[in-house]
């Protein structure tokens, strides 16, 4: 089960979908509403409720905060964090992003009068997906959902990684969630982490490497 993050939509999972599908996996791409953490968790739970077997729950970026809480669902066997936030109990994604200075390429803007956070258009390519083509970056920017700041500041109540096996992909060239933040989160939680050379959109640019981690997680006893 694949959960996208902010400044993106579910279409970015296509490469990983194709790989997993070829290997015989059943895949669900959750359309994260991005309106609040609670709404994202509800969307994941509704999808999990439909399953007749256990799932590997995969989250990218802000999607990591969602799977951290949603992963307590009984149908979740393991968690995979792909360049993703992994807050603990009482923590927020915002707290973690503030633990390191932003990269010059980062274009995350303050919330507007509607409480929506946008990414600066001129920085989107280099800040989110520098290892993709300009055309692909343009499509990602055009197809992203509206991300409400509320989700970024809502604390986790019960982190599923405390009781479920957790795997991680650390993107070595990430300009949105700096690599050192990913390292600190995954080290704290004893997540089985794999380094992959790639941008914040590593799940798109390096689908085989990310799919390998998901497959590894699916083989957890």
């Amino acid at each position: 089960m694949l959960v996208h993050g902010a400044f993106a939509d579910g279409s970015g999972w296509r490469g990983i979908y194709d790989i997993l599908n070829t290997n015989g996996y059943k895949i669900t791409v959750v359309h994260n509403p991005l309106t609040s953490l609670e709404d994202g968790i509800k969307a994941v739970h509704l999808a999990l409720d439909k399953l007749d077997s256990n799932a590997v729950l995969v989250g990218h970026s802000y999607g990591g905060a969602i799977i951290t809480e949603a992963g307590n669902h009984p149908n979740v066997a393991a968690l995979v964090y792909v360049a993703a936030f992994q807050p603990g109990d009482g923590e927020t994604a915002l707290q973690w992003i503030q633990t390191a200075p932003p990269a010059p390429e980062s274009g995350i803007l303050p919330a507007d009068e509607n409480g929506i956070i946008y990414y600066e258009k001129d920085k989107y390519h280099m800040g989110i997906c520098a290892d993709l083509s300009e055309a692909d970056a343009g499509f990602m920017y055009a197809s992203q959902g509206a991300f409400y700041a509320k989700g970024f500041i809502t604390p986790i109540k019960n982190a599923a990684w405390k009781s479920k096996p957790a795997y991680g992909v650390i993107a070595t060239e990430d300009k949105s969630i700096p690599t050192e933040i990913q390292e600190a989160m995954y080290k704290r939680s004893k997540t089985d982490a794999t380094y992959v050379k790639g941008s914040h959109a590593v799940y798109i640019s390096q689908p085989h490497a990310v799919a390998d981690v998901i497959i590894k997680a699916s083989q957890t006893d």
Side-chain angles (χ1 to χ4, degrees):
M1 187 164 292
L2 311 174
V3 184
H4 68 84
F7 316 119
D9 74 349
S11 64
W13 292 111
R14 181 57 192 265
I16 288 177
Y17 170 90
D18 288 342
I19 295 166
L20 295 177
N21 188 56
T22 299
N23 281 275
Y25 288 87
K26 297 179 180 178
I27 308 103
T28 298
V29 178
V30 176
H31 287 276
N32 180 358
L34 300 176
T35 46
S36 70
L37 185 69
E38 295 87 352
D39 289 347
I41 294 166
K42 181 178 180 180
V44 172
H45 279 181
L46 287 171
L48 287 167
D49 288 342
K50 298 291 186 181
L51 298 183
D52 55 8
S53 60
N54 287 337
V56 174
L57 191 54
V58 184
H60 172 253
S61 190
Y62 165 69
I66 291 174
I67 72 167
T68 294
E69 193 76 59
N72 292 297
H73 192 286
N75 286 347
V76 175
L79 306 165
V80 178
Y81 292 85
V82 181
F85 289 109
Q86 190 192 56
D89 293 354
E91 297 175 351
T92 68
L94 178 62
Q95 284 176 255
W96 274 103
I97 200 66
Q98 292 175 333
T99 60
E105 296 89 347
S106 179
I108 300 175
L109 297 171
D112 68 5
E113 66 277 8
N114 295 311
I116 300 173
I117 299 176
Y118 293 96
Y119 208 97
E120 188 175 343
K121 186 174 183 179
D122 290 344
K123 289 189 173 183
Y124 189 91
H125 189 188
M126 291 298 103
I128 295 282
C129 51
D131 48 0
L132 299 181
S133 69
E134 186 174 346
D136 285 342
F139 174 78
M140 285 185 66
Y141 183 85
S143 60
Q144 66 180 298
F147 176 48
Y148 284 76
K150 179 182 178 182
F152 216 45
I153 60 174
T154 301
I156 296 297
K157 295 179 181 178
N158 182 21
W161 51 259
K162 296 182 301 179
S163 58
K164 303 280 179 87
Y167 297 80
V169 172
I170 296 175
T172 62
E173 299 176 7
D174 200 321
K175 304 302 181 183
S176 288
I177 304 178
T179 301
E180 58 263 39
I181 294 179
Q182 297 174 44
E183 290 174 328
M185 290 185 294
Y186 303 161
K187 181 179 180 180
R188 185 270 297 269
S189 62
K190 297 181 172 59
T191 291
D192 183 342
T194 300
Y195 285 85
V196 177
K197 184 179 181 180
S199 69
H200 189 57
V202 64
Y203 68 115
I204 301 175
S205 63
Q206 300 291 343
H208 287 280
V210 174
D212 284 346
V213 175
I214 297 171
I215 292 170
K216 181 180 179 181
S218 75
Q219 297 167 345
T220 301
D221 294 330

